[in-house]
Amino acid sequence: MLNFHSTLTRKDFLKGIGLAGAGLGAASAVTPMFHDLDELVASTPSTRNLPWFVKEREHGDPTTPIDWSMIQRRPYTWARMDPSLPVYDNLKAIGAPVTRWLDWADKKAEDEILFAKAREEFPGFEPGIDGFGDLRTTALTHASEMFAFGQFPQKMNLGGNMVDLVPAIRAAGGYLGSTDSYAGPKIVHTPEEMGGTKYQGTPEDNLRTLKAGIRYFGGEDVGALELDDNLKKLIFTVDQYGKTLEFGDVEECVETPRQVIIPNKCKYIFLWTMRQPYEWTRRQSGRFEGAATETSYERAYNTKAHFQDFARGLGYQMISAGNNSLSPAGAWAVLGGLGELSRASYVNHPLYGITVRVTWGFLTDMPLPPSRPIDFGARKFCETCGICAEACPFGAINPGEPTWKDDNAFGNAGFLGWRCDYTKCPHCPICQGTCPFNSHPGSFIHDIVKGTVSTTPVFNSFFKNMEKSFKYGRKNPATWWDEVDDYPYGVDTSY
Amino acid sequence: MIYWIGVLSGVGLALLVNWLKKKTTVRWYEWLIGALGLLSGIGAIQHYFGSLVENEPESAWMGFLVFFILAVVLLATSWALLRRHPQSG
């Protein structure tokens, strides 16, 4: 039996529930995305589902300071090229600008350093018959290389015949023997060719559409920029294949073996990322990158080609060849908020760390809303960390203070950062697997650490030491075969 | 499974709080120390299993030990403080 008297009518009670529900609903709708009302009003489109610990900065103001007066358009320069790479002969043939051509003796000396490092990290490691480790790992690595960088294999079994593919494609007019072209494969018809009109959406709607498309084909995070005079300075005058990059009043992108003309109307930049298989990223050992990197370069170029034709099917152009054909790969990505520039020179993404293999920028005529640079404390953390620089056996990563100057063959002047010396970097797999920001978000502790790092850098040194004490980072490659039940494609897509 | 673990933990916690309230008057800092101890204990379990999902067995054990020891110390402190209360009834 009730022993109290309520003064609340049933109508008022239900009204109260409704108001409370609406309040809770509104709160839950905005809480994950905005820290305050100003941020809500000023925010870039909701296509960016950034974690709560990520702050957006003003346009043009990433955590890496930039002095635009020091930056001029310049030609792409290959820092180095070693004879074990499949593109070596191609680049020799086309006379690509390479600062340091290595010979087999140089490469062998580097290999010995890498093998010694792997033996030190993982007692029992042996380079095996091709420098990648045991036979299983060697087989996985080689099988991952099949279409890496969009390159057709030199020789391939087609219906019972071993065909010399690259010479055949070159003889038929394919310039490099690769699937890669600035304007994409053009297999898909445009809406106009099919008697329709192009897709019309608001810039925000366009970015959401492109995000859906790139994710369907294997990309992940997206951003956008509007090309201005500063961003244009980042476009190479000559790309890595020796083609001049020019803008002109043309309707469609023009590409010849020596020249690319980009339509002036392509004044937006679409940015996207793709990450590597995580478990192999931190296990790759031996003379060169390895299965995770190779398979990602295959997937990314595949994704790129599919996506370019998806945009074509919508009635728009997506212009880019290799992922640093137009500009230094990470520069636009940092300005568009796909991550912060790290000590190791990778783009550091708030969720995937430096396991992001490509940060790609396409020039497009599809109107897009610019996204903002981000700050999650990563650059500040790099200042006190330096685990990657300690791990590099070639001293290619700057262990000291960031600089403004262009102090090696590859780096740009004009930003205050750490520049990897790519003439020394043999693209070994070590540094990428060492970064504390790579962590898989299984334990709650990573959220606490990332949240703290983003706001309170005083603990950064402690967290660096904890990273080492808890033995995160690189793992013995043998454990992948015997202990790890990896995800399909090696990627945990739940985060 | 996780749902039922949550329900049972919630019921257990409610019973514990009710029992403590009936038994004695718990001071605010005793609640705080006890709650932190409990959180640390839950953290030890979550970190252990979360780290196994990350394929980090060494981190799993080290983290479990750190949070578990912290939980034991905090809960024991809280319990010791409660035992010093004058017996009621």
Side-chain angles (χ1 to χ4, degrees), chain A residues 278-279 282-283 439-446 469-473 475 483-487 492, chain B residues 39-40 42-44 46-51 53-60 62-64 66-67:
Chain A
Y278 174 59
E279 295 298 346
R282 55 190 187 153
R283 284 175 172 79
S439 58
H440 182 293
S443 166
F444 73 99
I445 201 71
H446 303 303
S469 303
F470 275 56
K471 300 194 187 309
Y472 288 111
K475 302 287 169 192
E483 296 168 23
V484 175
D485 185 14
D486 211 347
Y487 298 93
D492 178 0
Chain B
L39 272 179
S40 188
I42 294 168
Q46 198 285 332
H47 178 80
Y48 178 77
F49 287 104
S51 296
V53 171
E54 296 174 22
N55 292 303
E56 298 280 5
E58 283 156 318
S59 155
M62 287 183 69
F64 179 81
V66 169
F67 290 115

Short mmCIF file of all heavy atoms in Angstrom, two decimals, chain A residues 278-279 282-283 439-446 469-473 475 483-487 492, chain B residues 39-40 42-44 46-51 53-60 62-64 66-67:
data_model
loop_
_atom_site.label_atom_id
_atom_site.label_comp_id
_atom_site.label_asym_id
_atom_site.label_seq_id
_atom_site.Cartn_x
_atom_site.Cartn_y
_atom_site.Cartn_z
N TYR A 278 48.19 -4.37 -38.99
CA TYR A 278 48.90 -3.92 -37.80
C TYR A 278 49.91 -4.96 -37.28
O TYR A 278 51.06 -4.64 -36.98
CB TYR A 278 47.86 -3.59 -36.72
CG TYR A 278 48.42 -3.25 -35.37
CD1 TYR A 278 49.30 -2.18 -35.23
CD2 TYR A 278 48.05 -3.96 -34.24
CE1 TYR A 278 49.80 -1.84 -33.98
CE2 TYR A 278 48.54 -3.63 -33.00
CZ TYR A 278 49.42 -2.57 -32.88
OH TYR A 278 49.91 -2.25 -31.65
N GLU A 279 49.46 -6.21 -37.17
CA GLU A 279 50.34 -7.20 -36.55
C GLU A 279 51.61 -7.43 -37.38
O GLU A 279 52.68 -7.62 -36.83
CB GLU A 279 49.59 -8.52 -36.34
CG GLU A 279 48.44 -8.43 -35.34
CD GLU A 279 48.88 -8.03 -33.94
OE1 GLU A 279 50.09 -8.08 -33.63
OE2 GLU A 279 48.00 -7.64 -33.14
N ARG A 282 54.31 -4.47 -37.16
CA ARG A 282 55.29 -4.46 -36.07
C ARG A 282 56.13 -5.73 -36.01
O ARG A 282 56.87 -5.94 -35.07
CB ARG A 282 54.61 -4.20 -34.74
CG ARG A 282 53.47 -5.15 -34.40
CD ARG A 282 52.76 -4.63 -33.20
NE ARG A 282 51.76 -5.58 -32.72
CZ ARG A 282 51.37 -5.64 -31.48
NH1 ARG A 282 51.89 -4.85 -30.58
NH2 ARG A 282 50.44 -6.50 -31.11
N ARG A 283 55.99 -6.59 -37.00
CA ARG A 283 56.81 -7.81 -37.04
C ARG A 283 57.76 -7.86 -38.23
O ARG A 283 58.65 -8.72 -38.28
CB ARG A 283 55.90 -9.05 -37.06
CG ARG A 283 55.28 -9.35 -35.71
CD ARG A 283 54.30 -10.50 -35.79
NE ARG A 283 53.87 -10.90 -34.46
CZ ARG A 283 52.96 -10.25 -33.74
NH1 ARG A 283 52.38 -9.18 -34.23
NH2 ARG A 283 52.62 -10.68 -32.53
N SER A 439 49.11 1.88 -30.96
CA SER A 439 48.46 0.88 -30.11
C SER A 439 47.03 0.53 -30.51
O SER A 439 46.23 1.40 -30.83
CB SER A 439 48.45 1.36 -28.66
OG SER A 439 47.77 2.59 -28.60
N HIS A 440 46.76 -0.74 -30.49
CA HIS A 440 45.42 -1.27 -30.71
C HIS A 440 44.59 -0.98 -29.45
O HIS A 440 45.07 -1.19 -28.35
CB HIS A 440 45.55 -2.79 -30.92
CG HIS A 440 44.26 -3.48 -31.20
ND1 HIS A 440 43.26 -3.60 -30.26
CD2 HIS A 440 43.80 -4.11 -32.29
CE1 HIS A 440 42.26 -4.27 -30.78
NE2 HIS A 440 42.56 -4.58 -32.02
N PRO A 441 43.36 -0.46 -29.60
CA PRO A 441 42.63 -0.01 -28.41
C PRO A 441 41.91 -1.13 -27.67
O PRO A 441 40.71 -1.07 -27.45
CB PRO A 441 41.62 0.98 -29.00
CG PRO A 441 41.35 0.46 -30.36
CD PRO A 441 42.60 -0.21 -30.83
N GLY A 442 42.62 -2.17 -27.28
CA GLY A 442 41.98 -3.25 -26.51
C GLY A 442 41.84 -2.87 -25.06
O GLY A 442 40.74 -2.91 -24.49
N SER A 443 42.94 -2.47 -24.44
CA SER A 443 42.91 -2.10 -23.02
C SER A 443 42.46 -0.65 -22.87
O SER A 443 42.78 0.20 -23.69
CB SER A 443 44.31 -2.26 -22.42
OG SER A 443 44.37 -1.60 -21.17
N PHE A 444 41.75 -0.39 -21.77
CA PHE A 444 41.28 0.98 -21.47
C PHE A 444 42.45 1.94 -21.30
O PHE A 444 42.29 3.16 -21.45
CB PHE A 444 40.45 0.97 -20.19
CG PHE A 444 41.27 0.78 -18.94
CD1 PHE A 444 41.62 1.87 -18.17
CD2 PHE A 444 41.71 -0.46 -18.55
CE1 PHE A 444 42.40 1.72 -17.03
CE2 PHE A 444 42.49 -0.63 -17.42
CZ PHE A 444 42.83 0.45 -16.66
N ILE A 445 43.62 1.41 -21.00
CA ILE A 445 44.74 2.27 -20.65
C ILE A 445 45.15 3.19 -21.80
O ILE A 445 45.59 4.32 -21.60
CB ILE A 445 45.95 1.42 -20.16
CG1 ILE A 445 46.91 2.28 -19.33
CG2 ILE A 445 46.69 0.77 -21.30
CD1 ILE A 445 46.38 2.65 -18.00
N HIS A 446 44.95 2.71 -23.05
CA HIS A 446 45.36 3.54 -24.20
C HIS A 446 44.49 4.80 -24.30
O HIS A 446 44.99 5.86 -24.67
CB HIS A 446 45.27 2.73 -25.49
CG HIS A 446 46.09 1.49 -25.46
ND1 HIS A 446 47.43 1.50 -25.21
CD2 HIS A 446 45.73 0.19 -25.61
CE1 HIS A 446 47.89 0.25 -25.23
NE2 HIS A 446 46.88 -0.55 -25.46
N SER A 469 58.60 -0.35 -20.86
CA SER A 469 58.52 -1.33 -19.76
C SER A 469 57.44 -2.38 -20.04
O SER A 469 57.60 -3.55 -19.70
CB SER A 469 58.18 -0.62 -18.44
OG SER A 469 59.12 0.36 -18.17
N PHE A 470 56.34 -1.94 -20.64
CA PHE A 470 55.25 -2.88 -20.91
C PHE A 470 55.48 -3.66 -22.21
O PHE A 470 54.65 -4.46 -22.61
CB PHE A 470 53.91 -2.13 -20.97
CG PHE A 470 53.27 -1.93 -19.63
CD1 PHE A 470 53.96 -1.29 -18.61
CD2 PHE A 470 51.98 -2.37 -19.37
CE1 PHE A 470 53.39 -1.09 -17.36
CE2 PHE A 470 51.40 -2.19 -18.12
CZ PHE A 470 52.10 -1.54 -17.12
N LYS A 471 56.61 -3.38 -22.84
CA LYS A 471 57.03 -4.12 -24.03
C LYS A 471 56.03 -4.05 -25.19
O LYS A 471 55.72 -5.03 -25.85
CB LYS A 471 57.35 -5.58 -23.70
CG LYS A 471 58.45 -5.72 -22.66
CD LYS A 471 58.97 -7.13 -22.59
CE LYS A 471 59.94 -7.31 -21.44
NZ LYS A 471 61.02 -6.35 -21.38
N TYR A 472 55.47 -2.83 -25.38
CA TYR A 472 54.68 -2.61 -26.59
C TYR A 472 55.66 -2.45 -27.74
O TYR A 472 56.88 -2.52 -27.57
CB TYR A 472 53.84 -1.33 -26.45
CG TYR A 472 52.67 -1.48 -25.49
CD1 TYR A 472 52.66 -0.80 -24.28
CD2 TYR A 472 51.59 -2.28 -25.81
CE1 TYR A 472 51.58 -0.93 -23.40
CE2 TYR A 472 50.52 -2.42 -24.94
CZ TYR A 472 50.52 -1.73 -23.74
OH TYR A 472 49.46 -1.86 -22.90
N GLY A 473 55.16 -2.20 -28.91
CA GLY A 473 56.04 -1.97 -30.05
C GLY A 473 56.29 -3.23 -30.84
O GLY A 473 55.39 -4.04 -31.02
N LYS A 475 57.37 -6.84 -32.41
CA LYS A 475 57.18 -8.22 -31.93
C LYS A 475 57.96 -9.17 -32.82
O LYS A 475 58.21 -8.90 -34.00
CB LYS A 475 55.69 -8.61 -31.99
CG LYS A 475 54.78 -7.71 -31.18
CD LYS A 475 54.94 -7.96 -29.70
CE LYS A 475 54.23 -6.86 -28.91
NZ LYS A 475 54.55 -6.85 -27.51
N GLU A 483 51.15 -17.73 -32.80
CA GLU A 483 50.36 -17.23 -31.67
C GLU A 483 49.24 -16.27 -32.04
O GLU A 483 48.33 -16.06 -31.24
CB GLU A 483 51.29 -16.52 -30.66
CG GLU A 483 52.31 -17.45 -30.03
CD GLU A 483 53.39 -16.68 -29.27
OE1 GLU A 483 53.14 -15.54 -28.87
OE2 GLU A 483 54.49 -17.23 -29.11
N VAL A 484 49.30 -15.68 -33.20
CA VAL A 484 48.33 -14.63 -33.54
C VAL A 484 47.26 -15.18 -34.48
O VAL A 484 47.57 -15.83 -35.48
CB VAL A 484 49.05 -13.44 -34.22
CG1 VAL A 484 48.04 -12.40 -34.70
CG2 VAL A 484 50.03 -12.80 -33.25
N ASP A 485 46.00 -14.93 -34.12
CA ASP A 485 44.89 -15.27 -35.00
C ASP A 485 44.44 -13.95 -35.63
O ASP A 485 43.59 -13.26 -35.10
CB ASP A 485 43.77 -15.90 -34.16
CG ASP A 485 42.63 -16.40 -35.03
OD1 ASP A 485 42.82 -16.51 -36.26
OD2 ASP A 485 41.55 -16.67 -34.48
N ASP A 486 45.05 -13.61 -36.76
CA ASP A 486 44.91 -12.25 -37.30
C ASP A 486 43.55 -12.03 -37.97
O ASP A 486 42.83 -12.98 -38.30
CB ASP A 486 46.04 -11.97 -38.30
CG ASP A 486 46.44 -10.50 -38.31
OD1 ASP A 486 45.70 -9.68 -37.75
OD2 ASP A 486 47.50 -10.19 -38.89
N TYR A 487 43.22 -10.76 -38.17
CA TYR A 487 41.97 -10.38 -38.82
C TYR A 487 42.05 -10.61 -40.33
O TYR A 487 43.15 -10.61 -40.89
CB TYR A 487 41.70 -8.88 -38.58
CG TYR A 487 41.54 -8.54 -37.12
CD1 TYR A 487 42.63 -8.12 -36.36
CD2 TYR A 487 40.30 -8.63 -36.50
CE1 TYR A 487 42.49 -7.81 -35.02
CE2 TYR A 487 40.15 -8.33 -35.17
CZ TYR A 487 41.25 -7.92 -34.43
OH TYR A 487 41.10 -7.61 -33.11
N ASP A 492 41.93 -4.74 -38.19
CA ASP A 492 40.79 -4.72 -37.29
C ASP A 492 39.96 -3.48 -37.62
O ASP A 492 40.33 -2.37 -37.25
CB ASP A 492 41.27 -4.68 -35.83
CG ASP A 492 40.10 -4.62 -34.85
OD1 ASP A 492 38.93 -4.62 -35.30
OD2 ASP A 492 40.36 -4.59 -33.63
N LEU B 39 37.53 0.08 -8.82
CA LEU B 39 37.84 0.47 -10.21
C LEU B 39 39.17 -0.13 -10.66
O LEU B 39 39.31 -0.61 -11.78
CB LEU B 39 37.92 1.99 -10.33
CG LEU B 39 36.62 2.72 -10.62
CD1 LEU B 39 36.87 4.23 -10.67
CD2 LEU B 39 36.01 2.25 -11.94
N SER B 40 40.13 -0.09 -9.77
CA SER B 40 41.44 -0.64 -10.11
C SER B 40 41.34 -2.15 -10.36
O SER B 40 41.98 -2.69 -11.27
CB SER B 40 42.42 -0.34 -8.98
OG SER B 40 43.71 -0.69 -9.36
N ILE B 42 38.64 -3.78 -11.40
CA ILE B 42 37.97 -3.96 -12.70
C ILE B 42 38.96 -3.64 -13.82
O ILE B 42 39.02 -4.33 -14.83
CB ILE B 42 36.72 -3.05 -12.79
CG1 ILE B 42 35.68 -3.51 -11.77
CG2 ILE B 42 36.14 -3.06 -14.19
CD1 ILE B 42 34.54 -2.53 -11.57
N GLY B 43 39.76 -2.58 -13.58
CA GLY B 43 40.77 -2.19 -14.57
C GLY B 43 41.77 -3.32 -14.81
O GLY B 43 42.19 -3.56 -15.95
N ALA B 44 42.17 -4.01 -13.74
CA ALA B 44 43.13 -5.11 -13.88
C ALA B 44 42.57 -6.19 -14.81
O ALA B 44 43.26 -6.69 -15.70
CB ALA B 44 43.44 -5.70 -12.51
N GLN B 46 40.01 -5.82 -17.04
CA GLN B 46 39.81 -5.31 -18.40
C GLN B 46 41.15 -5.22 -19.13
O GLN B 46 41.25 -5.59 -20.29
CB GLN B 46 39.13 -3.94 -18.34
CG GLN B 46 38.48 -3.49 -19.67
CD GLN B 46 39.48 -3.04 -20.72
OE1 GLN B 46 40.57 -2.57 -20.42
NE2 GLN B 46 39.11 -3.20 -21.99
N HIS B 47 42.17 -4.73 -18.44
CA HIS B 47 43.47 -4.57 -19.10
C HIS B 47 44.03 -5.93 -19.52
O HIS B 47 44.59 -6.07 -20.61
CB HIS B 47 44.45 -3.88 -18.16
CG HIS B 47 45.82 -3.74 -18.76
ND1 HIS B 47 46.15 -2.76 -19.65
CD2 HIS B 47 46.94 -4.50 -18.62
CE1 HIS B 47 47.40 -2.91 -20.02
NE2 HIS B 47 47.92 -3.96 -19.41
N TYR B 48 43.84 -6.91 -18.65
CA TYR B 48 44.38 -8.25 -18.97
C TYR B 48 43.73 -8.79 -20.25
O TYR B 48 44.43 -9.15 -21.21
CB TYR B 48 44.15 -9.20 -17.80
CG TYR B 48 44.62 -10.60 -18.11
CD1 TYR B 48 45.98 -10.90 -18.07
CD2 TYR B 48 43.73 -11.60 -18.49
CE1 TYR B 48 46.44 -12.17 -18.38
CE2 TYR B 48 44.18 -12.86 -18.81
CZ TYR B 48 45.52 -13.15 -18.75
OH TYR B 48 45.97 -14.40 -19.08
N PHE B 49 42.41 -8.81 -20.26
CA PHE B 49 41.75 -9.41 -21.43
C PHE B 49 41.86 -8.50 -22.66
O PHE B 49 42.00 -8.98 -23.79
CB PHE B 49 40.28 -9.71 -21.11
CG PHE B 49 40.14 -10.89 -20.19
CD1 PHE B 49 39.83 -10.72 -18.85
CD2 PHE B 49 40.36 -12.18 -20.66
CE1 PHE B 49 39.73 -11.81 -17.99
CE2 PHE B 49 40.27 -13.27 -19.81
CZ PHE B 49 39.96 -13.09 -18.47
N GLY B 50 41.82 -7.17 -22.42
CA GLY B 50 41.99 -6.22 -23.53
C GLY B 50 43.36 -6.37 -24.18
O GLY B 50 43.49 -6.33 -25.40
N SER B 51 44.39 -6.58 -23.36
CA SER B 51 45.74 -6.71 -23.90
C SER B 51 45.90 -8.02 -24.66
O SER B 51 46.67 -8.10 -25.62
CB SER B 51 46.78 -6.63 -22.77
OG SER B 51 46.73 -5.36 -22.19
N VAL B 53 43.55 -9.30 -26.44
CA VAL B 53 42.97 -8.97 -27.75
C VAL B 53 43.99 -8.21 -28.60
O VAL B 53 44.05 -8.36 -29.82
CB VAL B 53 41.68 -8.12 -27.57
CG1 VAL B 53 41.18 -7.58 -28.91
CG2 VAL B 53 40.60 -8.94 -26.89
N GLU B 54 44.82 -7.41 -27.95
CA GLU B 54 45.86 -6.65 -28.67
C GLU B 54 47.07 -7.51 -29.04
O GLU B 54 48.02 -6.99 -29.61
CB GLU B 54 46.38 -5.50 -27.80
CG GLU B 54 45.40 -4.44 -27.45
CD GLU B 54 45.99 -3.44 -26.46
OE1 GLU B 54 47.22 -3.33 -26.37
OE2 GLU B 54 45.22 -2.80 -25.76
N ASN B 55 47.05 -8.77 -28.66
CA ASN B 55 48.22 -9.64 -28.82
C ASN B 55 49.43 -9.08 -28.06
O ASN B 55 50.54 -8.99 -28.60
CB ASN B 55 48.57 -9.84 -30.30
CG ASN B 55 47.51 -10.64 -31.01
OD1 ASN B 55 47.19 -11.76 -30.61
ND2 ASN B 55 46.93 -10.06 -32.04
N GLU B 56 49.19 -8.67 -26.84
CA GLU B 56 50.24 -8.12 -25.98
C GLU B 56 50.28 -8.90 -24.67
O GLU B 56 49.90 -8.38 -23.60
CB GLU B 56 49.95 -6.64 -25.67
CG GLU B 56 49.93 -5.71 -26.85
CD GLU B 56 51.33 -5.32 -27.30
OE1 GLU B 56 52.30 -5.85 -26.75
OE2 GLU B 56 51.42 -4.49 -28.22
N PRO B 57 50.71 -10.17 -24.69
CA PRO B 57 50.65 -10.98 -23.46
C PRO B 57 51.52 -10.44 -22.33
O PRO B 57 51.12 -10.52 -21.16
CB PRO B 57 51.13 -12.36 -23.92
CG PRO B 57 51.81 -12.15 -25.23
CD PRO B 57 51.20 -10.93 -25.84
N GLU B 58 52.69 -9.86 -22.66
CA GLU B 58 53.55 -9.34 -21.58
C GLU B 58 52.91 -8.13 -20.91
O GLU B 58 52.88 -8.02 -19.69
CB GLU B 58 54.92 -8.97 -22.16
CG GLU B 58 55.78 -10.17 -22.40
CD GLU B 58 56.83 -9.91 -23.46
OE1 GLU B 58 56.51 -9.28 -24.48
OE2 GLU B 58 57.98 -10.34 -23.25
N SER B 59 52.37 -7.24 -21.74
CA SER B 59 51.68 -6.07 -21.20
C SER B 59 50.47 -6.51 -20.38
O SER B 59 50.16 -5.90 -19.35
CB SER B 59 51.24 -5.17 -22.34
OG SER B 59 50.15 -4.39 -21.97
N ALA B 60 49.81 -7.58 -20.82
CA ALA B 60 48.62 -8.07 -20.11
C ALA B 60 48.98 -8.43 -18.67
O ALA B 60 48.33 -7.98 -17.73
CB ALA B 60 48.04 -9.27 -20.85
N MET B 62 51.79 -7.64 -16.93
CA MET B 62 52.37 -6.54 -16.15
C MET B 62 51.28 -5.57 -15.69
O MET B 62 51.25 -5.17 -14.53
CB MET B 62 53.42 -5.80 -16.99
CG MET B 62 54.68 -6.62 -17.16
SD MET B 62 55.92 -5.71 -18.06
CE MET B 62 56.33 -4.46 -16.86
N GLY B 63 50.39 -5.24 -16.60
CA GLY B 63 49.30 -4.32 -16.25
C GLY B 63 48.39 -4.93 -15.21
O GLY B 63 47.94 -4.25 -14.28
N PHE B 64 48.11 -6.23 -15.38
CA PHE B 64 47.25 -6.91 -14.39
C PHE B 64 47.86 -6.81 -13.01
O PHE B 64 47.18 -6.48 -12.02
CB PHE B 64 47.05 -8.37 -14.79
CG PHE B 64 46.19 -9.13 -13.82
CD1 PHE B 64 44.80 -9.04 -13.87
CD2 PHE B 64 46.76 -9.92 -12.82
CE1 PHE B 64 44.01 -9.71 -12.96
CE2 PHE B 64 45.98 -10.60 -11.91
CZ PHE B 64 44.60 -10.49 -11.98
N VAL B 66 50.06 -4.62 -11.83
CA VAL B 66 50.06 -3.24 -11.32
C VAL B 66 48.68 -2.87 -10.77
O VAL B 66 48.54 -2.42 -9.63
CB VAL B 66 50.49 -2.25 -12.44
CG1 VAL B 66 50.25 -0.81 -12.01
CG2 VAL B 66 51.95 -2.47 -12.80
N PHE B 67 47.65 -3.10 -11.60
CA PHE B 67 46.31 -2.67 -11.18
C PHE B 67 45.76 -3.57 -10.07
O PHE B 67 45.03 -3.11 -9.19
CB PHE B 67 45.35 -2.66 -12.38
CG PHE B 67 45.66 -1.56 -13.36
CD1 PHE B 67 46.09 -1.85 -14.64
CD2 PHE B 67 45.54 -0.23 -12.99
CE1 PHE B 67 46.39 -0.84 -15.54
CE2 PHE B 67 45.85 0.80 -13.88
CZ PHE B 67 46.27 0.49 -15.16
#
